[in-house]
Amino acid sequence: MKNKKTIITYGTYDMLHIGHMNILEKAKALGDYLIVGVTDENYDRSRGKLNVSESTKKRVKAIEALDFVDMVIVETHKNQKAEDMVKYDVDIFAIGDDWVGAFDYLNEYTHVEYLPRTEGISSTKLRKENFDTIKIGIAGLGHDTQAFIDEAEFVSSVKINRIYDEDFLSLKAFTKDNERIKYGHDNYDEFLDTSIKAVYIHTSSAQHYLLIKKALEAGKHVLCENPLAVDKNELKELLSIAKKEKKVLLTALKTAFLPAFNQLLKELDSGVIGEIKEVRATRTSLFKEKNYPDSFIEQGATTILSSYPSLLIHKTLGKRQKINFFDQEENGYDISNLIVTTHKNGALGVARVATGTKSEGDAVISGTKGYIYIPAPWWLTKKFYVRFEDTHKSYTFNYEFDGCGLRYMIAEFASLIQRGAKKSKKLAPSDMVAINRVLLDYNERKKEEKIKRK
């Protein structure tokens, strides 16, 4: 900027405090024009910052309200700092001295200045002072129970030390040498009558309704694997109870909370590939080869896997108008299903799920200007390609994440409880109902077919 010395700095600015104010004022004192980059929540999560309590929008507004800040931008990816130095003709990049050396590479573009931080104050400290630790109990001892426990360790506001399962011997064996799980219960009512504030339910789908209902009525927040219920009236009842009790009821669908998946939705909302005409997504898994029990596999491919492609299709195309199923059965349950839905303006959703066959687990979103390709495993979204007829315009988004992805879901669940919010923007009640209804409609269709055969 002509005749003005431009300063730029970046931060999350969660729960804006005196430490933030001090460093921003020091940055402004270095020049004439101060640009502040506020990190986007998806970018923060991709960097492992899972405990940010405020939305990007709220944090941006807080910085915009400061009269000495001249411009606010949003930081969305790791290469943006270097790009911004050139874009805004920056004279000085200022950052806290807890980052000494980390940004020396930017000296290639501008002068880097490390500023002293204010001791004794931080967003982390404020969160600990303002929010209680959320004790979560696990209902159901399954193949992925330990993964959930391990991932919860990365969410500082959460503590898991209690588990319920009907199988007393398995429960005893699991808790015997487990350093984190101190208490095991084979009685669900006794499990709920403890200091836990929330319950994660990971049992067979047939048990979900009753376990969710009891937990909500006991005043507990609930995170439950899909489906929430296998009956339409039961689903309505659960949502009604959650609303009445003012408790969080959230479907445990980790894809919905991944940083790259949410960035994907932002790209689509921008209209970058034009009007979306078709979404194809495949999710298959040979659970027998992973030593999952028969009782799990016999729930069927649609019950186990349809929530993943249904999430992408619903988030992308919206409310469906028609649905058709093309399934294959063995031993009384479906081992594969091709689910075809029609949407507004003739858009088409094609979901392929299977537990008895294996296919490439990728996804393609086709639009009138281009398409987006998400490589396998698309439901663990890390990278996606935005492609056009003119290949020179194509670009790639790449977001790394740690672990198996569960920590982002756990962090969202904990954040909702801490903030007193009842609905997640990443997975709203309308999203959960639409996803659950795919299975409900499939079950209804199977019942009708059985009646006709009689």
Side-chain angles (χ1 to χ4, degrees):
M1 296 183 183
K2 292 180 179 180
N3 303 320
K4 285 188 177 182
K5 195 173 186 180
T6 302
I7 315 300
I8 196 166
T9 189
Y10 299 83
T12 300
Y13 306 109
D14 189 32
M15 303 178 72
L16 189 66
H17 54 71
I18 189 63
H20 294 140
M21 297 289 286
N22 287 343
I23 206 162
L24 289 171
E25 287 175 345
K26 288 172 185 175
K28 180 60 180 278
L30 294 173
D32 307 298
Y33 193 87
L34 177 61
I35 303 172
V36 179
V38 178
T39 52
D40 175 74
E41 58 193 273
N42 292 326
Y43 180 43
D44 267 333
R45 289 191 174 199
S46 73
R47 297 187 301 153
K49 297 188 74 170
L50 304 179
N51 299 300
V52 178
S53 62
E54 297 175 335
S55 68
T56 304
K57 185 177 180 179
K58 185 173 182 179
R59 290 180 285 116
V60 166
K61 282 187 174 182
I63 299 299
E64 286 177 336
L66 302 177
D67 57 7
F68 58 87
V69 173
D70 299 291
M71 176 187 252
V72 180
I73 60 175
V74 176
E75 184 184 20
T76 62
H77 61 278
K78 63 182 180 181
N79 296 323
Q80 185 175 328
K81 288 184 177 71
E83 295 170 1
D84 288 345
M85 301 306 133
V86 177
K87 180 178 181 180
Y88 298 109
D89 193 19
V90 173
D91 295 292
I92 298 176
F93 166 66
I95 199 75
D97 60 8
D98 49 330
W99 290 98
V100 167
F103 296 105
D104 286 355
Y105 72 94
L106 290 175
N107 279 309
E108 179 182 344
Y109 306 94
T110 188
H111 171 69
V112 177
E113 185 83 20
Y114 295 102
L115 302 174
R117 293 178 69 249
T118 303
E119 296 296 327
I121 185 69
S122 70
S123 297
T124 300
K125 184 179 180 181
L126 287 176
R127 283 192 292 267
K128 287 181 179 179
E129 292 174 350
N130 286 274
F131 299 122
D132 295 330
T133 298
I134 300 167
K135 293 181 180 179
I136 300 179
I138 298 176
L141 185 57
H143 196 276
D144 301 317
T145 302
Q146 190 59 50
F148 186 90
I149 295 169
D150 292 342
E151 288 284 286
E153 285 290 301
F154 295 92
V155 184
S156 61
S157 57
V158 164
K159 181 179 181 181
I160 300 175
N161 66 351
R162 200 175 293 272
I163 190 167
Y164 157 79
D165 195 85
E166 293 176 331
D167 188 337
F168 176 74
L169 294 178
S170 296
L171 189 64
K172 186 177 180 180
F174 184 83
T175 56
K176 182 181 178 181
D177 298 316
N178 197 302
E179 296 179 358
R180 298 173 195 148
I181 304 299
K182 296 181 179 179
Y183 308 103
H185 301 261
D186 62 351
N187 183 295
Y188 191 59
D189 292 329
E190 291 178 358
F191 166 76
L192 293 175
D193 190 23
T194 62
S195 60
I196 58 172
K197 195 169 186 177
V199 179
Y200 166 58
I201 298 174
H202 185 39
T203 63
S204 67
S205 57
Q207 295 178 298
H208 288 178
Y209 162 71
L210 185 58
L211 294 179
I212 293 172
K213 182 179 179 181
K214 281 192 170 187
L216 290 173
E217 291 178 339
K220 314 297 182 183
H221 302 280
V222 176
L223 176 67
C224 182
E225 293 293 327
N226 198 66
L228 298 178
V230 293
D231 176 87
K232 289 181 181 179
N233 292 327
E234 289 178 351
L235 178 60
K236 289 180 181 178
E237 183 184 1
L238 293 177
L239 293 170
S240 177
I241 294 172
K243 185 176 181 180
K244 177 184 175 183
E245 298 293 333
K246 297 180 180 179
K247 298 299 173 185
V248 176
L249 174 56
L250 188 66
T251 300
L253 192 53
K254 64 183 179 183
T255 304
F257 310 103
L258 298 179
F261 183 79
N262 283 279
Q263 184 61 45
L264 165 72
L265 297 179
K266 283 187 177 182
E267 290 297 301
L268 292 171
D269 285 343
S270 74
V272 65
I273 62 170
E275 183 182 355
I276 300 169
K277 289 296 187 180
E278 183 178 282
V279 180
R280 290 180 175 267
T282 299
R283 176 77 167 96
T284 67
S285 186
L286 300 177
F287 289 105
K288 283 187 178 180
E289 294 188 8
K290 300 178 184 177
N291 297 317
Y292 277 73
D294 290 341
S295 59
F296 175 83
I297 299 169
E298 288 167 3
Q299 293 180 100
T302 310
T303 296
I304 300 169
L305 298 174
S306 67
S307 59
Y308 295 93
S310 296
L311 168 72
L312 179 62
I313 291 168
H314 175 72
K315 281 286 194 180
T316 306
L317 298 178
K319 188 176 181 181
R320 62 178 163 85
Q321 296 173 344
K322 294 181 181 179
I323 187 167
N324 286 291
F325 302 95
F326 304 90
D327 62 348
Q328 293 176 305
E329 286 191 1
E330 280 186 9
N331 303 316
Y333 61 89
D334 59 301
I335 61 167
S336 73
N337 203 343
L338 183 68
I339 306 167
V340 182
T341 53
T342 56
H343 302 258
K344 186 179 179 180
N345 297 326
L348 198 66
V350 182
R352 184 185 300 275
V353 296
T355 56
T357 59
K358 189 66 181 172
S359 299
E360 183 72 7
D362 57 4
V364 180
I365 304 169
S366 303
T368 55
K369 295 180 180 178
Y371 71 96
I372 290 179
Y373 175 71
I374 318 171
W378 74 262
W379 56 94
L380 296 177
T381 319
K382 292 183 179 181
K383 177 186 291 188
F384 59 90
Y385 303 89
V386 185
R387 293 174 173 167
F388 304 96
E389 193 72 25
D390 181 352
T391 57
H392 294 96
K393 295 180 180 179
S394 300
Y395 57 93
T396 303
F397 269 93
N398 193 351
Y399 276 67
E400 289 301 320
F401 67 77
D402 297 316
C404 63
L406 285 171
R407 63 188 66 178
Y408 304 99
M409 175 183 76
I410 299 169
E412 175 73 3
F413 183 54
S415 177
L416 291 172
I417 295 170
Q418 288 177 329
R419 292 185 285 112
K422 304 300 179 291
K423 302 175 183 179
S424 170
K425 291 181 179 179
K426 294 178 175 64
L427 192 64
S430 58
D431 300 325
M432 295 190 292
V433 169
I435 293 165
N436 203 146
R437 277 196 61 194
V438 172
L439 176 61
L440 297 179
D441 287 352
Y442 176 66
N443 289 340
E444 285 291 323
R445 193 75 51 89
K446 299 307 289 184
K447 287 179 183 177
E448 292 173 4
E449 290 176 0
K450 286 182 179 179
I451 292 171
K452 288 180 180 179
R453 285 199 295 267
K454 289 181 180 179

